[in-house]
Amino acid sequence: MTQLTAPDLFEPGLFEGTGFYDVFAWYRANDPVSWQRPAGDPDGFWSVTRYHDVVSVHRDSTRMSSAKGMRLGSADHAVGAVANKMLIVADPPDHTRMKRVLIQPFSNEVLSRAEEYVEEVVAGVVATAVRHPGPDLIEQLERIPTDVICAIMGLPRADWEWIGRKTTEAFESPSEVQRITANGEIFKYFSDLVRENRRTGTNAFISGLTARNSGGTRVTDEELVFNLSGILAGGNETTRFTLAALTLQLAQHPDQWDRVLRGDVEPAVATEEALRWSVPGMHVLRTATEALRIGDVEVEPGQRVVTWIGSANRDPEVFDDPDTFDVGRSGNRHLSFGAGRHMCLGSRLARLEITAYLRTLRVRVRSMTLEGEPRYNGSNFTWGLNRLPVVLHA
């Protein structure tokens, strides 16, 4: 009998490319809910790789807690400082209270008013990229989510470049010190902004969140600072990675680009495939508060559970030919925005930006070529391209 050897999900450099998809495929087929204890992790955790198991974990807000952290590698003291004060690391009733307030700027009514501005930003970025092709298209694409979210949040135009740079440092810097420092600077920025707005009331976005609304629900200034940082990050990094992944696939697969260019596939449909394919949020962590069963495994109270969105989005039980990029894929039930109570607040905005990008490409770009080696950031949490040598041809 052949002994199966589990591949190392935490091999250094694994996420610097796309080889981890083969590792996920092995686990889905052989050990879909596996016990992992990587170097430097004294406690270990359950690793969940199949789509339906991932969904069950995300939708279980009774026996699964987010308040003890939502990503691997988080320092306990850092999580403790924001637990039940920041939406992504909160459980009911605090999560329910904060979400009721924080979701308002992302309603369909509000975002419909932002659609024209999104189109303008995207058109400007694409026009610049066509006129002045550079060695790295990422430098242009990152302007789309940064400019849009900063404008929606009413942040001073002079701060946008700094904000984009600090957000990238907070998530992608190889230096832990630099990541911590960048996060601290972002928190201080919003703390100063909230305090100033209490005096002047000039920022409509912040004033709207601090006003008595939704049946009297409020958020404190401390909660507001933490969640403004979360909104900024959620509306910036992940969309940039999806735009980059989409562009790379269209450059590598001209047949897929032709389908979009001819109008055979609607941009909104292709947007969903871009989201499935890119997986900017690679994993999510939860902690069991009660005993429960995931697949064939009994999880004990206090044990951590990590769901791999990147694996769920390639599960052949749910997606036909999942390793093929198909802009016309129908019934695309990807989990890139999560599922259940913690589904991403900015999902509508992300879809708006990606769809606008595709519409603009269809009008202004004839073809695109890959003229170098793309590079990935190597993160197993917020994963994506950080170098994209693609040229857009008018």
Side-chain angles (χ1 to χ4, degrees):
M1 179 177 180
T2 303
Q3 178 66 40
L4 294 175
T5 302
D8 186 357
L9 192 52
F10 296 91
E11 176 187 349
L14 182 62
F15 288 87
E16 291 176 0
T18 58
F20 61 86
Y21 282 118
D22 292 335
V23 176
F24 285 152
W26 187 96
Y27 277 105
R28 284 195 306 269
N30 299 287
D31 198 3
V33 185
S34 63
W35 183 252
Q36 303 279 335
R37 185 173 285 162
D41 188 333
D43 300 319
F45 55 86
W46 292 106
S47 178
V48 182
T49 52
R50 286 182 179 169
Y51 181 98
H52 294 297
D53 291 335
V54 169
V55 170
S56 72
V57 171
H58 283 229
R59 289 182 175 170
D60 191 342
S61 58
T62 301
R63 298 174 297 178
M64 283 290 176
S65 171
S66 299
K68 295 184 181 297
M70 53 78 67
R71 62 170 292 183
L72 292 168
S74 298
D76 290 343
H77 68 275
V79 174
V82 299
N84 288 317
K85 300 174 186 176
M86 192 174 190
L87 199 66
I88 58 174
V89 284
D91 295 328
D94 290 306
H95 181 274
T96 306
R97 170 179 57 82
M98 289 187 289
K99 187 172 184 178
R100 190 175 294 138
V101 173
L102 296 167
I103 200 171
Q104 294 178 64
F106 300 99
S107 68
N108 285 332
E109 179 184 357
V110 173
L111 291 183
S112 66
R113 296 197 295 268
E115 188 169 356
E116 184 176 348
Y117 178 74
V118 171
E119 297 278 357
E120 290 176 3
V121 170
V122 172
V125 166
V126 172
T128 301
V130 169
R131 287 196 307 267
H132 306 290
D136 190 356
L137 188 60
I138 287 286
E139 296 173 2
Q140 297 295 335
L141 293 183
E142 65 186 5
R143 283 185 44 215
I144 295 174
T146 298
D147 287 9
V148 168
I149 195 63
C150 285
I152 286 176
M153 297 176 76
L155 306 181
R157 182 66 180 85
D159 297 343
W160 291 6
E161 183 179 349
W162 178 88
I163 287 168
R165 186 171 68 253
K166 287 300 170 184
T167 305
T168 299
E169 287 178 10
F171 280 89
E172 292 189 50
S173 173
S175 165
E176 183 179 3
V177 172
Q178 192 172 24
R179 292 195 302 270
I180 293 172
T181 301
N183 274 298
E185 290 180 83
I186 292 170
F187 284 146
K188 184 180 185 305
Y189 176 86
F190 282 119
S191 181
D192 292 344
L193 196 64
V194 168
R195 185 168 56 252
E196 176 68 12
N197 196 68
R198 284 292 187 191
R199 187 178 65 83
T200 65
T202 54
N203 186 300
F205 184 88
I206 294 176
S207 295
L209 294 178
T210 54
R212 181 174 294 277
N213 45 41
S214 299
T217 301
R218 283 187 180 275
V219 291
T220 67
D221 282 2
E222 183 183 36
E223 291 169 343
L224 186 58
V225 168
F226 290 147
N227 284 290
L228 287 172
S229 175
I231 289 170
L232 176 66
N236 195 333
E237 290 292 284
T238 53
T239 304
R240 171 166 65 94
F241 287 140
T242 299
L243 292 170
L246 169 61
T247 307
L248 177 61
Q249 290 304 307
L250 295 178
Q252 290 180 320
H253 302 284
D255 60 318
Q256 298 295 310
W257 168 236
D258 286 344
R259 295 173 70 190
V260 176
L261 191 60
R262 292 193 306 264
D264 296 343
V265 174
E266 287 300 314
V269 174
T271 290
E272 298 307 316
E273 180 67 346
L275 288 162
R276 182 190 76 90
W277 188 266
S278 60
V279 203
M282 185 57 65
H283 79 257
V284 174
L285 182 148
R286 296 284 187 265
T287 302
T289 58
E290 303 176 22
L292 72 151
R293 190 176 186 86
I294 304 174
D296 296 329
V297 167
E298 297 289 342
V299 177
E300 299 175 5
Q303 289 185 326
R304 295 180 300 164
V305 177
V306 171
T307 60
W308 294 99
I309 310 301
S311 178
N313 277 3
R314 299 286 184 100
D315 191 337
E317 291 187 3
V318 177
F319 303 98
D320 293 334
D321 195 12
D323 295 321
T324 295
F325 180 78
D326 177 7
V327 290
R329 185 181 297 274
S330 61
N332 201 331
R333 297 181 291 154
H334 64 80
L335 299 178
S336 293
F337 292 124
R341 185 180 297 275
H342 282 271
M343 184 171 284
C344 177
L345 283 182
S347 60
R348 295 187 188 99
L349 180 59
R351 286 185 166 106
L352 186 64
E353 293 174 60
I354 299 162
T355 303
Y357 178 63
L358 279 164
R359 282 199 299 263
T360 303
L361 288 180
R362 192 164 65 177
V363 171
R364 302 193 177 206
V365 173
R366 180 189 76 254
S367 63
M368 52 193 81
T369 54
L370 179 62
E371 302 190 0
E373 189 68 27
R375 186 177 63 222
Y376 295 87
N377 64 0
S379 170
N380 68 5
F381 178 58
T382 306
W383 176 82
L385 289 155
N386 60 11
R387 182 175 185 271
L388 182 63
V390 167
V391 173
L392 306 181
H393 303 282

